Amino acid sequence: MERNILKSSLEYASFRIIFQILFRCVTFILNAWILRIVGAEVLGVMNVRLLLLESTLLFLCKEPCIKACQTNAKHLHWPQVINQIWLTVPACTALSIPLLYIWLNCLSAPRPELLRQYELGCYSIVLSCIIEQITNVPYIIATSYCFVKTNICFDTLYTSIRTIIFVILTVQNKNDALKAFAIAQILSSIFLCALYYGFFWWYIRTINTISKVDKKLIQNKSSIFSKMDDFHFKSIIDFFPGLMENKKSKFNKDLMILSISFGKQCIVKQVLTEGERYVMTISPVLTFSEQATYDVVNNLGSLAARFLFRPIEESAYFYFTQMVRRDTLIAKQDQTKIRETSEVLSQLCAVVCSIGITVLIFGQSYSHCLLSLYGGETLTSTNLPTTLLQCHCIAIILLAINGVTEGYVFATMDNKQLDRYNYLMVIFSISFLLFSYILTYIMGPVGFIMANCINMSARIAHSCYFISNQYRDTSFRPLNGLVPKKSFFVILITSGVLVKLSEIYVYPASMIIHIAFGAVLFAICLVCWMYENQSLLKLGIERYRKRSIVKID
């Protein structure tokens, strides 16, 4: 399969960013509607308690296998990969039993009138997660063969169906919002599973026909069927374990070891990612209503991270796994690839760092304004939500740097290095939980964010050390991208001072003027950044213009 890996990664990132923007816009509108119509307690149960159960199951069961199978996807032996991916179904089922018992019997319950709906929600989360594991095989095949638009389209439809079902059922009876959430969760998972298998059933059936009739479709690189020469599947039953022709062993030992390494890592990373939710869930630090407020503010504070950094991190990880071999020193690999990889890493660091600093500077003066527009008096009656959002702005720059640097580290470490780092991640996790509990006891909800900042700083330090050591014997210095350009930084700091003065003297009298003034200063900062990063912009424009030459999907 001839592919442009960098182009595939860039297109995937672009579509993921668009999808995340649409998805988060829907989520934020939905959360605001729930907050006003249904109440904060129901929002807290859904967004913190139930979605934490979902993320725990999906992340621990799906993520290790997907990451391992994406490594050097071009040389996969598909029968072994399919057998391994299907292990996620019994793994998810087995893990759901103790988690379901904990969620139903060990954790604090909502008020009695919500209890039955809460139980239904827990069961629906488990069932939907098991159904989603069945979708892993067509998902990894679509990813490996660069069906970028297909993946994004299905994700969009899945989110849309879930939202539409939830809204329709909730409008009919707002007292059954949790029940509506449960039904929407199950039906949307079934819909996603049917989409993937239905698409590949149609695709395989079609390529089996046109391979005998019309060879021109194969030669047309813009056609979705241009991949058929290298497509290893002759029937939809090949997607199921043990049914595809296999002349090797049932499982690949190296792939299994890599999955186990990623599994250890994912346990720790899940604690780090959702640590504050685990603390809120296990200990009675906050009520469900307070959890909802924190979650709303947390989502608003993570706009940049969810819209931009996560898709960039995912596509960068896929790109680095294809360009850098895990088991060979950088100095002994193809230097053309290493030069490109170093340049891409440096440019990614520069982009995400610039975004993080910009959010930090402007966020200090526009947090109250954003909360006022979003939640009205509910979120601005006290200073706590504003303080939380301002602290999130500090965490965003760390999220930006950590996402790219750690993504590179995970993509290029060998098995032994991954195992060693897993032990280090255990230390990070334990420290994070301790800091979360202690700082939350002292500072309230702000302590969650401060603990996260401390943890991310430690992880960034380790990633930078690994990257510097890896490129020590070369002339490449990819971490130089973390240093912002001088003129951009000076203008940004000046703008931060001016918008702070605007918040003090202008915002109380006119929100519109305050926002317009910030927009002008932001535009000036953006123009300055574009001027200092002309080479990066030219590269992006060049890649965009070449889209018609090599079509991915």
Side-chain angles (χ1 to χ4, degrees):
M1 178 172 50
E2 297 179 359
R3 301 176 299 176
N4 186 319
I5 301 299
L6 176 59
K7 183 173 177 58
S8 177
S9 301
L10 290 173
E11 183 162 338
Y12 178 74
S14 301
F15 281 115
R16 285 292 294 177
I17 289 171
I18 295 172
F19 170 74
Q20 287 289 343
I21 291 174
L22 293 175
F23 173 71
R24 288 299 158 186
C25 287
V26 172
T27 301
F28 290 143
I29 294 172
L30 194 61
N31 284 347
W33 179 70
I34 295 172
L35 201 61
R36 289 174 169 84
I37 303 299
V38 181
E41 184 177 4
V42 172
L43 184 63
V45 173
M46 287 192 303
N47 284 9
V48 178
R49 181 67 64 81
L50 295 179
L51 291 185
L52 179 62
L53 176 60
E54 181 188 45
S55 71
T56 302
L57 282 170
L58 289 180
F59 197 82
L60 296 184
C61 296
K62 179 179 180 178
E63 195 77 4
C65 192
I66 294 297
K67 279 186 174 292
C69 292
Q70 282 182 338
T71 300
N72 202 10
K74 188 176 180 179
H75 302 290
L76 292 173
H77 183 61
W78 282 108
Q80 294 176 333
V81 172
I82 289 172
N83 290 341
Q84 180 164 319
I85 292 176
W86 273 98
L87 291 177
T88 60
V89 177
C92 182
T93 305
L95 182 60
S96 66
I97 295 173
L99 288 180
L100 194 58
Y101 179 82
I102 293 171
W103 254 249
L104 292 176
N105 300 285
C106 301
L107 302 179
S108 59
R111 52 191 168 89
E113 50 267 39
L114 294 177
L115 187 56
R116 280 189 171 275
Q117 293 186 55
Y118 168 71
E119 292 174 349
L120 177 62
C122 291
Y123 285 114
S124 72
I125 289 291
V126 168
L127 181 58
S128 66
C129 287
I130 294 173
I131 294 172
E132 285 195 40
Q133 302 308 312
I134 300 174
T135 314
N136 285 343
V137 170
Y139 170 80
I140 195 67
I141 291 172
T143 303
S144 299
Y145 284 94
C146 299
F147 287 94
V148 177
K149 297 173 185 176
T150 302
N151 276 339
I152 298 301
C153 179
F154 288 176
D155 283 344
T156 304
L157 289 172
Y158 166 69
T159 303
S160 301
I161 289 295
R162 185 172 61 179
T163 303
I164 291 170
I165 293 173
F166 172 76
V167 170
I168 290 175
L169 294 178
T170 304
V171 168
Q172 291 177 352
N173 189 349
K174 67 178 183 179
N175 295 322
D176 288 338
L178 288 177
K179 183 178 178 181
F181 173 84
I183 295 173
Q185 197 76 21
I186 295 174
L187 292 181
S188 59
S189 297
I190 295 173
F191 178 74
L192 180 67
C193 188
L195 273 178
Y196 269 109
Y197 280 98
F199 168 78
F200 277 109
W201 175 82
W202 166 82
Y203 184 81
I204 293 172
R205 183 183 178 186
T206 305
I207 62 176
N208 287 339
T209 301
I210 66 174
S211 62
K212 303 174 182 178
V213 177
D214 191 356
K215 293 288 185 180
K216 292 182 180 179
L217 283 172
I218 307 173
Q219 299 170 356
N220 181 7
K221 293 185 179 297
S222 64
S223 170
I224 192 175
F225 303 108
S226 61
K227 306 174 179 68
M228 60 179 288
D229 274 351
D230 199 47
F231 199 73
H232 292 78
F233 305 92
K234 305 305 179 184
S235 171
I236 194 67
I237 65 171
D238 289 343
F239 285 31
F240 296 91
L243 297 179
M244 190 176 183
E245 183 180 353
N246 181 19
K247 297 180 180 180
K248 298 183 179 181
S249 59
K250 291 184 178 180
F251 296 98
N252 184 300
K253 183 179 178 181
D254 292 335
L255 204 58
M256 290 290 287
I257 293 173
L258 189 60
S259 296
I260 293 172
S261 296
F262 277 124
K264 297 174 185 176
Q265 184 188 100
C266 284
I267 293 174
V268 181
K269 193 172 182 180
Q270 176 68 5
V271 174
L272 295 176
T273 304
E274 302 282 9
E276 69 271 11
R277 292 193 181 192
Y278 285 117
V279 172
M280 285 189 289
T281 298
I282 295 172
S283 63
V285 177
L286 303 175
T287 65
F288 281 114
S289 296
E290 291 171 330
Q291 290 176 23
T293 302
Y294 175 84
D295 185 69
V296 168
V297 175
N298 181 53
N299 284 332
L300 285 170
S302 302
L303 275 171
R306 297 178 186 276
F307 284 178
L308 298 174
F309 302 146
R310 182 68 181 272
I312 289 173
E313 179 185 349
E314 290 176 353
S315 59
Y317 173 82
F318 177 73
Y319 168 73
F320 292 137
T321 58
Q322 309 307 305
M323 298 295 289
V324 182
R325 296 199 299 271
R326 294 179 182 272
D327 55 351
T328 307
L329 293 174
I330 288 291
K332 296 182 179 180
Q333 297 190 39
D334 184 344
Q335 292 304 294
T336 302
K337 287 186 176 181
I338 298 304
R339 182 181 295 106
E340 181 183 312
T341 302
S342 174
E343 180 65 19
V344 169
L345 178 57
S346 179
Q347 297 288 13
L348 284 176
C349 287
V351 170
V352 298
C353 190
S354 298
I355 295 172
I357 296 174
T358 304
V359 172
L360 171 63
I361 296 298
F362 281 88
Q364 301 307 306
S365 302
Y366 286 91
S367 293
H368 188 277
C369 180
L370 179 61
L371 290 170
S372 179
L373 290 172
Y374 181 71
E377 287 294 323
T378 305
L379 293 179
T380 56
S381 57
T382 66
N383 291 327
L384 178 60
T386 302
T387 304
L388 283 172
L389 191 52
Q390 289 173 336
C391 291
H392 265 296
C393 295
I394 300 173
I396 282 173
I397 187 172
L398 298 175
L399 277 169
I401 299 172
N402 182 69
V404 171
T405 55
E406 197 170 66
Y408 176 86
V409 168
F410 289 159
T412 58
M413 277 182 169
D414 59 32
N415 288 335
K416 291 182 179 179
Q417 289 171 329
L418 281 170
D419 284 335
R420 285 198 298 268
Y421 189 58
N422 286 337
Y423 291 112
L424 190 59
M425 290 280 278
V426 170
I427 297 175
F428 289 155
S429 299
I430 295 173
S431 301
F432 172 65
L433 292 176
L434 288 175
F435 276 120
S436 294
Y437 191 82
I438 294 171
L439 293 178
T440 304
Y441 181 79
I442 297 172
M443 306 169 63
V446 175
F448 285 127
I449 303 171
M450 293 297 102
N452 204 24
C453 289
I454 294 171
N455 177 263
M456 281 189 293
S457 298
R459 290 161 64 182
I460 290 170
H462 174 271
S463 298
C464 290
Y465 172 78
F466 176 87
I467 295 170
S468 298
N469 188 59
Q470 194 177 46
Y471 284 89
R472 180 180 54 192
D473 298 328
T474 70
S475 60
F476 310 122
R477 298 294 178 264
L479 292 179
N480 289 345
L482 293 175
V483 181
K485 300 294 178 63
K486 185 177 179 180
S487 298
F488 169 71
F489 188 71
V490 170
I491 291 178
L492 195 59
I493 294 297
T494 304
S495 299
V497 174
L498 293 176
V499 292
K500 196 64 182 177
L501 293 174
S502 174
E503 182 186 29
I504 297 172
Y505 296 106
V506 178
Y507 175 53
S510 176
M511 179 188 294
I512 295 177
I513 296 177
H514 176 57
I515 294 174
F517 182 65
V520 171
L521 292 176
F522 175 79
I524 294 173
C525 293
L526 181 61
V527 170
C528 179
W529 184 88
M530 293 171 65
Y531 177 78
E532 289 190 325
N533 292 271
Q534 294 182 52
S535 60
L536 177 60
L537 291 175
K538 288 179 181 177
L539 176 63
I541 294 172
E542 180 183 350
R543 294 284 179 184
Y544 179 79
R545 287 176 177 175
K546 289 182 178 180
R547 288 182 65 185
S548 59
I549 299 177
V550 180
K551 291 290 185 179
I552 297 175
D553 198 350

